[in-house]
Amino acid sequence: VQLVESGGGLVQAGGSLRLSCTASGGTFSRYAMGWFRQAPGQEREFVAVISRSGSRLDYADSVKGRFTISRDNAKNTVYLQMNSLKPEDTAVYYCAADDTVLVPTTSRSYDYWGQGTQVTVSS
């Protein structure tokens, strides 16, 4: 499975961005899809996950109420809508895929990763 993220960029605090991650080479609907992020000098951290069907979601406490994960299985794409962005949201954002019925929140659970897209939030 190949994953390609897009939609990152530079935005002012309080602004919004929508990230997309498009998959190819596999059966997209088999995979739980997660978003993670990594800031310079920090470990990769969980942001959000959505189950195969989209019926179950989970978020990191730091983004609850501001970020929304969704998926379109017909388009093999998962999205991360990010609102009310803060400077501390600055990081490289990665999408990941895991062939599971669960909604894993740890990076080691995931089998496939994208190359990442940079999100920079200025104060």
Side-chain angles (χ1 to χ4, degrees):
V1 175
Q2 292 78 46
L3 304 174
V4 178
E5 302 99 334
S6 61
L10 173 65
V11 64
Q12 289 188 331
S16 299
L17 283 174
R18 187 176 82 154
L19 305 183
S20 300
C21 171
T22 300
S24 61
T27 303
F28 183 70
S29 59
R30 291 185 57 86
Y31 296 93
M33 298 298 298
W35 284 98
F36 291 77
R37 66 187 182 186
Q38 188 167 19
Q42 298 186 21
E43 293 188 355
R44 192 169 297 188
E45 65 173 359
F46 166 74
V47 175
V49 61
I50 187 167
S51 63
R52 289 173 166 177
S53 66
S55 60
R56 286 179 291 162
L57 313 174
D58 198 5
Y59 296 93
D61 288 343
S62 59
V63 307
K64 279 181 181 176
R66 300 188 298 123
F67 291 11
T68 303
I69 189 170
S70 62
R71 67 189 295 160
D72 185 337
N73 285 351
K75 295 182 177 180
N76 290 355
T77 301
V78 61
Y79 304 97
L80 186 68
Q81 178 67 44
M82 305 186 296
N83 298 329
S84 302
L85 282 161
K86 305 175 181 180
E88 51 263 44
D89 294 318
T90 295
V92 177
Y93 283 70
Y94 299 89
C95 70
D98 185 16
D99 186 354
T100 180
V101 298
L102 304 176
V103 282
T105 60
T106 56
S107 59
R108 63 179 180 270
S109 299
Y110 287 82
D111 304 309
Y112 304 99
W113 292 84
Q115 83 288 350
T117 186
Q118 177 70 47
V119 171
T120 303
V121 184
S122 63
S123 57

